[in-house]
Amino acid sequence: TYASRAERLDHITDFNAAEGDVVDLSALFGTRPHPDDMAGLIAGGFVKLVQRAAGVRVDVDLDGGGNDYRGLVWLDGET
């Protein structure tokens, strides 16, 4: 669980979505939109997934709109 952007840019080396791993963003966003609705978070400009050679970086924009993304966490090895 990430409670603030100050806790950012960790590298999670054993993340596996197929095994049920999730990045819990509920403390960052509360209910705007519902933090379990990744499609809504992406569409609202709250979250962006950036593919890089080393894996996926999860970027967040705390007030939405997609104009102030900051890297939050690296999911090493994910595609």
Side-chain angles (χ1 to χ4, degrees), residues 3-79:
S4 77
R5 277 196 317 204
E7 303 174 3
R8 60 190 207 102
L9 292 180
D10 287 333
H11 284 258
I12 300 175
T13 59
D14 60 349
F15 186 89
N16 188 328
E19 293 179 357
D21 291 345
V22 297
V23 177
D24 185 348
L25 302 175
S26 60
L28 288 176
F29 297 117
T31 59
R32 33 157 223 174
H34 193 279
D36 291 337
D37 176 15
M38 185 55 73
L41 289 169
I42 291 170
F46 290 92
V47 174
K48 175 172 67 171
L49 304 176
V50 180
Q51 181 68 52
R52 299 284 189 236
V56 174
R57 188 182 70 224
V58 179
D59 292 354
V60 296
D61 180 342
L62 295 180
D63 62 0
N67 62 341
D68 189 28
Y69 284 115
R70 308 288 175 161
L72 180 66
V73 63
W74 280 100
L75 306 176
D76 292 346
E78 283 296 300
T79 58

